[in-house]
Amino acid sequence: MGVRVLVILLVFLLGESIGDAATNPYDFSAIKGLMSDWQNTPPNWVGIDPCGNGWDGIGCKNSRITSITLSSMGLTGSLPGDIGQLSELQILDLSYNKGLTGSLPLQIGNLVKLTNLLLVGCGLYGPIPDSIGSLQNLVFLSLNSNGFSGLIPPTVGNLSRLYWLDLADNQLTGSIPVSSGSNPGLDMLLHTKHFHFGQNRLSGTIPSQLFSSEMHLIHVLFDNNQLTGSIPSTLGLVQSLEVVRFDTNFLSSAVPGNLNNLTSVQELLLSNNRLTGPFPNLAGMNALNYLDLSNNSFDATDFPAWIPTVQSLTTLTLEHTQVQGVLPVILFSIFSLQSVVLKNNNLNGTLDIGTSRSNQLQLIDLQTNLIDSFKHSTGVYSVVVILVDNPVCQETGAAGQSYCTVPQTNTSSYSTPPNSCIPAVCNSNQTSSPNCKCSHPYTGTLVFRAPSFSGLGNLTYFEKLASSMMISFQSYQLPVDSISLSDPRKDSYNYLKLNLAVFPSGGVRFNWTGINSIGFVLSNQTYKPSQLFGPFYFLGDQYMNFDVPTTSKKSSNIGVIIGAAAGGFVLLLLLALVGVYAFRQKKRAEKATEQSNPFVNWDPNKSDGSIPQLKGARWFSLQELKKYTNNFSDANEIGSGGYGKVYRGTLPTGNFVAIKRAQQGSMQGGVEFKNEIELLSRVHHKNLVSLVGFCLEQGEKLLVYEFLPNGTLKDSLSGKSGIRMDWARRLKVAIGAARGLAYLHELANPPIIHRDIKSTNILLDDHLNAKVADFGLSKPMGDGERGHVTTQVKGTMGYLDPEYYMTQQLTEKSDVYSFGVLMLELLTARRPIERGRYIVREVRVLINKDKDLYNLQGILDPAIGLGTSLKGLERFVELAMRCAEESGADRPTMGEVVKEIENIMVFAGLNPKAESATTSASYEEASKGYATHPYRNEDFFEYSGGFPPSRIEPQ
Ligand SMILES: *[C@@H]1O[C@H](CO)[C@@H](O)[C@H](O)[C@H]1NC(C)=O
Ligand SMILES: *[C@@H]1O[C@H](CO)[C@@H](O)[C@H](O)[C@H]1NC(C)=O
Ligand SMILES: *[C@@H]1O[C@H](CO)[C@@H](O)[C@H](O)[C@H]1NC(C)=O
Ligand SMILES: *[C@@H]1O[C@H](CO)[C@@H](O)[C@H](O)[C@H]1NC(C)=O
């Protein structure tokens, strides 16, 4: 193990000078684990070098993956424990992927370098694991707008560097944890500025210990929960507070008098509780903009005299608060007042709105009071006054007065106006931008949790918001042409919502990096709107109109944002890196072009020697293959992958064939295609899938194979194909695959190394005979190369020989390693890397030769027939572990493997020479035999050297 670490270190230290700096293999295997769980990852996630090849949404530093930003990608799947392996990860932003479901894995706690964990608006549920408290470096924790349940983990209190804590809009229950003895609690978060816990189901009392004068909170949001008891007076000690929301809970008792000390509070919402006692005096809150104390049980009082003294007030909402007497006229002269809502009180006498009114006043709603007259200087006033259900509206003739009807709320259909141009007429899927260009905008909803204003009719707010947002996007050099905001509205939680549309510049669509960069600016609160808008969050829609990737890769600017967000901006370094990167990419592109068409000199009509010797395989015309597959109809599609699609074809004889059709323009497909034809046409063995023929016409590349009705071994192990894989059948599959491989290594001339042995490349015929398939990566060993050859690393993570990965020396023993992994998969039916755990390591840890079944019961596939005689299983395990030895020299040859499996079969009472140990009558899958089919190449990747990461990272 020590040697291995040293080798890895050496590879990465010397990586750059060797010219093959690459992603750390453990990081890469973790990413592979994520990829196997996720759909809709960016299309440039191919190969094995996320860092070197600039995968969209991946940021690196010295070969280690340090950021993953994939907002609004439409990712689906779960968040597997593999994530815990990315030990250098600092930023994880998977926000706005509603299809990302399941629980937050325990292993998240391993990411001790993490500073930003942003999972806003996903479909995650289940408890938030306690292990989150291990993330000592966390600054941003945003888990809002998911379906998390259970308690707030008290361990969050250990996150001493936390600045932003947002758990709002989930289904969290239980009480607010505070520390006691050695148990942590939220009261320990002395540096945190944001407590966002609204829209949950939190209950119990608010512990007075939660708040203290040492805290630096500015936003405390506990609205829309089920909290009981009183508001603790300790809240009044947090002098930094600006926004306080405890509305819509079950809080009782009097409002503590010392809240009046909070001179920076701008928004205070305590509505919809059971507060009692005297109406609070908040005269000291001289920054107060928005006050809502509605629906509480305060003692009856005359309209509080202190209110008109708060000159910053924009919004006064005191519905059903037992206020009585006459409204003072001076109230309406508050300079910035926009709305006064005092419904359901006992206000009486004359309503006098005076003459020196705030010019922003838009609404005075006094429904259901005792007001008996309304005094206004002239009949013309711009403010909407509502006196419905007051004596003044019960007088004869009053019904005709506008103030005696509730005006229809005109649904504001505001939208950012065009920038002095005439909106373009776009086809149905595109939208005209404010600059009157048709394109596919990125859309979503901005949610402001406590705006300082209520006058949604004043468009100045939204115009300012739009321009500040545009400036922010421009300052991060995002490819944004313009943005538009529309439909400002308040929802039932009293949040202000706006539709946001961000239009692309320089084209009609965004690329992946464009979207996840914009998403990050919003999910990470990198864009900060003016204080008028208060705390916000964004819920992005999935972007459906991505730009099709071009071969030239653009460097990401997410790093710039991250760098700027973290406060460090190393411009020179960035320029240098981008320069080197561009140069390397150009070189690579040139090389790729050369490789892209291996057939340039390969014309079947000319026998100039460049055509391979094709024994047995015949040439099909495209016309023929179209006929066999009903013009490649969807009904005949039996598989697909990065390479292309696979169709079932029916020959004129009635026999089936499998036809693999390379995707047009698939670069790797060309090389693989030629390789596979050349190899397969000269190897023939009953345990190798045989090539019937091929077609190369009109730019199409097609391979025709024998058809194997039972699909892949993986389908059988996963239960997908419905074949019950008992111990005898597994042995039969193992011996078949081993013989096929032994033939390639020891009997083919020249010998062939398969390089991609895995359960999806082992096919089963209708007697469950295993056949090795997919020779796209296979490598023949010339005389001079016998034994080993230096080559680019190819294969599939999890099955890949670590020695080969590190040394790039390919030998037959690399296939032996993969075969060992395959044997363990046969035993456990687990993917080699699943939930962050590597099967080889796991078995090595568990194995105990003194115990029954070597102590492996816990990870054996139950379908193997636990409880039945598993004779020979221990020997099988031993053989697998010898195949998976770290050093190739310690592994057996495939010939030795075949002999040992034969011995095991004899030991288990089976006949290893029998062609068909089971009859097809016993297969349960008959009806769905064709439903799934292999010949696909889902996990294919290619190592193509590395380039040091080009991203600027946070400090
Ligand atoms: C806060 O209010 C209390 C009583 O309401 C008062 O005694 C105390 O001096 C105030 N503290 C500050 C810092 O103003
Ligand atoms: C208004 O109500 C108060 C208290 O309920 C009462 O004392 C006062 O007389 C009333 N004034 C008018 C004009 O009805
Ligand atoms: C709209 O709001 C701005 C402040 O954001 C204010 O200056 C302006 O007077 C308001 N306009 C109206 C018509 O209320
Ligand atoms: C436009 O969108 C519709 C569905 O909304 C889709 O069926 C159609 O293919 C799209 N057209 C183009 C040109 O993208």
Side-chain angles (χ1 to χ4, degrees), residues 427-430 440 509 545:
N427 78 30
S428 58
N429 296 18
Q430 298 194 359
H440 295 283
R509 300 156 192 282
N545 297 292

Side-chain angles (χ1 to χ4, degrees), residues 9-22 946:
L9 268 176
L10 275 175
V11 166
F12 291 112
L13 285 176
L14 302 176
E16 204 180 344
S17 51
I18 293 169
D20 275 325

Side-chain angles (χ1 to χ4, degrees), residues 300-302 323-326 346-350 370 372:
T301 175
D302 283 351
V323 178
Q324 63 189 22
V326 179
N346 296 314
L347 296 166
N348 64 5
T350 298
L370 303 168
D372 52 24

Side-chain angles (χ1 to χ4, degrees), residues 258 324 353 556 783:
N258 69 342
Q324 63 189 22
I353 60 173
S556 157
D783 282 344

Side-chain angles (χ1 to χ4, degrees), residues 239 257-258 261:
Q239 285 290 318
N258 69 342
N261 286 351

